């Protein structure tokens, strides 16, 4: 996916070396495709060897369900997705329906949907596709590898990623660690996980040095894909952030909307989750934690065409 030099936006916020990794330029329009293609390939191989898998299942705030439905349809494997009712965009809802997945909207939040699919996956006929599955994390590591390759095998100073279920935070860190262990790179970037203030359990834990962690009841946020109060990958994300001298920052609804709008006036077209990461970047730059000459990559997680209501 494209690594876009955000020259005009960088000049506006005082960062001359600002880049946007546009992970929404993929088949179903979000970074989820990177992990799901690996996972569905694994399921297809297992079925070919006699595994009794009748369907791939997932809970989703929209993007995972779209990706699972698309890749399962391509592989000829049934898919069932569970979404929180009235909490995903129409564009996100129509994707799994179009691909023929069994699509259930439940009157709960993402965490409630997650509890249901975890229970269902106790039956081995139903294969769980959420990011607690390590195959998803393996595919998402490629974000880090691509970034380094696109910078001619050099490492940026900062990578800023929106955080919901925290699989991407963990995967990006693990990708850089793998390259370091292989001798491809000799240093690590600083990693920033950006959370919506209305769904910020990791941010609250970060303020206490990760010594304490408690799930929260996530409140409504424009960044609906990261409206998650009990992320399944929290332990992996904490471990990675400690290694990377990482930071967790939050963005209010006003801050994320403002950051998205500002970015869009410079030629970008950003989803609200990217707005959370951009807002975190702007706050850290304002406090001079991120310095003017440093190379900064913001992970844009999905196509804004999925969020035209935003």
């Amino acid at each position: 996916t494209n690594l876009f030099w955000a020259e005009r936006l960088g000049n506006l916020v005082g960062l001359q070396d600002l880049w946007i990794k546009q992970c929404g330029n993929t088949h179903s329009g979000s970074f989820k495709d990177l992990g799901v293609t690996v996972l569905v390939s694994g399921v297809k191989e297992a079925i070919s060897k006699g595994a009794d898998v009748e369907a791939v299942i997932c809970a989703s705030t929209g993007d995972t369900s779209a990706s699972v439905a698309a890749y399962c349809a391509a592989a000829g494997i049934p898919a069932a997705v569970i979404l929180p009712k009235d909490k995903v965009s129409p564009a996100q809802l129509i994707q799994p329906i179009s691909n023929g997945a069994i699509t259930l909207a439940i009157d709960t939040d993402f965490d409630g949907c997650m509890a249901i699919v975890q229970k269902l996956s106790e039956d081995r006929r139903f294969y769980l596709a959420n990011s607690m599955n390590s195959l998803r994390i393996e595919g998402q590591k490629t974000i880090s590898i691509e970034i380094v390759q696109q910078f001619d095998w050099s490492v940026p100073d900062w990578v800023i990623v929106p955080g919901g279920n925290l699989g991407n935070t963990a995967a990006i860190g693990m990708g850089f660690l793998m390259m370091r262990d292989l001798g491809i790179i000799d240093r690590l970037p600083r990693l920033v996980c950006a959370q919506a203030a209305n769904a910020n359990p990791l941010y609250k834990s970060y303020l206490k040095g990760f010594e304490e962690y408690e799930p929260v009841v996530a409140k409504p946020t424009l960044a609906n894909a990261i409206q998650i109060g009990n992320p399944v990958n929290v332990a992996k994300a904490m471990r990675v952030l400690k290694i990377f001298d990482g930071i967790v920052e939050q963005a209010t609804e006003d801050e994320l909307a403002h950051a998205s709008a500002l970015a869009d006036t410079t030629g970008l077209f950003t989803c609200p989750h990217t707005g959370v990461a951009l807002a975190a970047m702007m706050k850290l730059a304002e406090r001079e934690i991120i310095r003017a000459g440093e190379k900064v990559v913001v992970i844009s997680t999905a196509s804004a065409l999925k969020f035209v209501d935003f």
Side-chain angles (χ1 to χ4, degrees):
T1 58
N2 186 38
L3 186 64
F4 174 78
W5 180 31
E7 182 181 13
R8 282 202 63 219
L9 179 61
N11 287 337
L12 287 175
V13 300
L15 298 173
Q16 290 74 48
D17 211 358
L18 174 63
W19 300 77
I20 312 294
K21 181 66 170 152
Q22 296 181 306
C23 295
N25 296 356
T26 57
H27 182 71
S28 76
S30 86
F31 79 91
K32 308 285 187 177
D33 291 345
L34 301 172
V36 170
T37 185
V38 175
L39 181 140
V40 173
S41 297
V43 173
K44 190 173 182 182
E45 180 184 17
I47 291 171
S48 75
K49 293 178 177 177
D52 184 22
V53 176
E54 293 187 15
V56 175
I57 63 171
C58 72
S60 179
T61 50
D63 288 334
T64 301
S65 61
S67 191
V68 167
Y71 284 91
C72 282
I77 300 168
V81 302
I82 297 180
L83 304 158
K85 186 180 178 185
D86 298 328
K87 294 185 177 71
V88 302
S89 74
Q92 290 173 302
L93 180 62
I94 203 65
Q95 285 184 280
I97 293 171
S98 297
N99 290 133
I102 296 169
T103 305
L104 306 173
I106 307 294
D107 193 12
T108 183
D109 58 9
F110 171 80
D111 298 308
C113 294
M114 192 71 225
I116 293 169
V117 294
Q118 284 180 278
K119 186 70 178 170
L120 284 170
S121 69
E122 292 173 9
D123 184 329
R124 295 181 69 85
R125 294 173 300 168
F126 303 130
Y127 189 91
L128 183 62
N130 284 96
S131 59
M132 57 175 45
N133 188 313
S134 59
L135 292 174
R136 285 274 307 279
I137 301 295
E138 288 301 308
Q140 288 164 215
K141 281 181 183 177
T142 57
I143 295 173
S144 312
I145 300 166
E146 279 193 15
I147 288 170
V148 170
Q149 182 185 25
Q150 287 167 319
F151 282 138
D152 199 22
W153 306 105
S154 67
V155 179
D157 298 299
W158 295 88
V159 177
I160 303 169
V161 57
N165 229 359
L166 303 178
N168 224 15
T169 304
I172 288 168
M174 290 161 70
F176 281 110
L177 289 170
M178 184 178 76
M179 286 186 286
R180 187 189 66 178
D181 292 346
L182 290 169
I184 295 170
I185 60 175
D186 58 8
R187 69 182 187 90
L188 300 174
R190 296 281 303 274
L191 193 58
V192 179
C193 177
Q195 291 207 293
N198 283 358
N200 63 351
L202 188 66
Y203 175 74
K204 289 184 172 180
S205 178
Y206 169 75
L207 295 179
K208 298 176 181 176
F210 296 131
E211 294 298 318
E212 299 173 31
Y213 169 76
E214 286 185 20
V216 301
V217 176
K219 292 181 282 197
T221 171
L222 292 163
N224 63 343
I226 57 174
Q227 186 180 326
I228 298 169
N230 189 18
V232 299
N233 295 295
V234 65
K236 291 177 187 172
M238 283 183 180
R239 193 159 59 244
V240 159
L241 286 163
K242 288 174 184 175
I243 295 170
F244 282 73
D245 190 19
I247 293 171
V248 185
E249 186 54 84
Q250 67 173 3
T252 65
E253 298 301 285
D254 187 60
E255 287 168 340
L256 74 88
H258 173 73
S260 277
L262 183 67
D264 290 354
T265 64
T266 69
L268 287 158
F269 186 42
T270 49
C271 70
H273 320 92
T274 304
V276 173
L278 290 169
M281 175 269 295
M282 289 161 63
K283 291 167 86 167
L284 293 170
E286 195 174 324
R287 300 203 297 265
E288 297 185 347
I289 295 169
I290 298 176
R291 295 191 294 276
E294 293 182 309
K295 189 182 292 290
V296 180
V297 178
V298 172
I299 306 299
S300 178
T301 51
S303 167
L305 290 169
K306 291 186 170 198
F307 303 96
V308 291
D309 289 351
F310 169 66

